Amino acid sequence: FGVTVTDTVGASTTVTLSLTLNASPSFQTFRVPSWTVNQPGYGYTLVVDGGTNPILFESTTGLPPGVSLSSLGVLSGTPTMTGTYSFTATVTDQFGVSASKSYTITINPPLMIATTTLPNWTDNEPGYDQFISTSGAPSPVVFTLAPGFAGGALPTGLTLEPGGTISGTPTVAGSWTFTVMAKDKAGAQALQQYTVNIGTVGVLILQPYLEAQAVVNQPGYSDALVVTNGTGPYSFSLAPSSTLPPGLS
């Protein structure tokens, strides 16, 4: 717009001026991310629209211990205590116009692998399917073998999915020791070592004789069937079309 100024003798001049009217500041960040206790690297910037620079941030008490809000609106630090924390952030522009918004930050317990053992299995037997569970940090948690030699190797034929399921058909008998690493979205890690024994297909033998013998109507018959190899515990049943002598079970 133009403004004309005229002095007492009638001399005048006109200048063009511009005026920018900024909207009042308002928060555009509606939530802030959760994190894991004692995990460094928390960093998140609150976003504000409107206002006239410089714009400065401050917060009331209520931030997680170890986390602070800078005057530029950056939340950062290493939270040192678990819990759910509520705080209010306030932004003020050059002319003293301000806006406030409340937020909640959840600081989760340390990530831990809750599954401490895995079942043994038999080679070439399909159906191995075991889920490794965690506690502490919420999903998503990503699973891998620990890097380097310490990670070991899964039994041949088994795979570890990123979601934490070990599945497949093991094809080689032996004892396998490996370490699984879980990592949450904050970068926190947990390790758990496992040993899985893969046995060969079971072989049934009769002890103490290859062919058991008994006397009719003589009480006290007892003999043991013993399995070698395979993966215990075992269950026994008669083969189809087989029968025991009357009186035996």
Side-chain angles (χ1 to χ4, degrees):
F1 59 93
V3 175
T4 299
V5 58
T6 304
D7 66 10
T8 58
V9 299
S12 64
T13 185
T14 300
V15 296
T16 300
L17 303 176
S18 63
L19 176 63
T20 300
L21 298 177
N22 294 317
S24 299
S26 62
F27 282 88
Q28 299 303 303
T29 298
F30 301 104
R31 65 179 62 88
V32 294
S34 60
W35 206 247
T36 302
V37 68
N38 296 321
Q39 180 66 21
Y42 188 86
Y44 194 78
T45 300
L46 301 180
V47 177
V48 169
D49 276 351
T52 302
N53 287 320
I55 294 175
L56 300 178
F57 292 78
E58 62 180 355
S59 72
T60 62
T61 58
L63 284 168
V67 175
S68 62
L69 175 64
S70 76
S71 61
L72 298 179
V74 178
L75 289 163
S76 62
T78 301
T80 57
M81 294 183 64
T82 61
T84 299
Y85 299 86
S86 297
F87 69 97
T88 299
T90 299
V91 61
T92 304
D93 75 358
Q94 177 182 351
F95 299 106
V97 182
S98 63
S100 297
K101 187 169 181 59
S102 296
Y103 295 100
T104 298
I105 299 179
T106 299
I107 305 302
N108 296 300
L111 175 65
M112 298 180 63
I113 295 179
T115 301
T116 57
T117 60
L118 293 173
N120 299 322
W121 208 249
T122 301
D123 65 340
N124 297 308
E125 183 68 26
Y128 195 94
D129 189 354
Q130 298 297 319
F131 176 70
I132 299 175
S133 62
T134 60
S135 63
S139 298
V141 175
V142 178
F143 295 82
T144 60
L145 285 182
F149 177 77
L154 289 168
T156 303
L158 298 185
T159 58
L160 171 63
E161 299 175 4
T165 298
I166 297 178
S167 61
T169 300
T171 58
V172 178
S175 181
W176 305 80
T177 298
F178 55 92
T179 300
V180 171
M181 180 175 70
K183 180 184 289 187
D184 69 9
K185 66 179 181 180
Q189 299 177 0
L191 300 174
Q192 179 66 51
Q193 187 178 80
Y194 300 101
T195 297
V196 174
N197 295 310
I198 305 300
T200 57
V201 176
V203 176
L204 181 67
I205 62 173
L206 183 65
Q207 291 185 344
Y209 308 107
L210 292 179
E211 294 184 1
Q213 299 181 8
V215 178
V216 67
N217 294 322
Q218 179 66 30
Y221 178 82
S222 178
D223 214 335
L225 301 178
V226 178
V227 175
T228 62
N229 301 324
T231 304
Y234 307 99
S235 62
F236 295 83
S237 62
L238 285 177
S241 302
S242 298
T243 58
L244 288 170
L248 296 186
S249 62

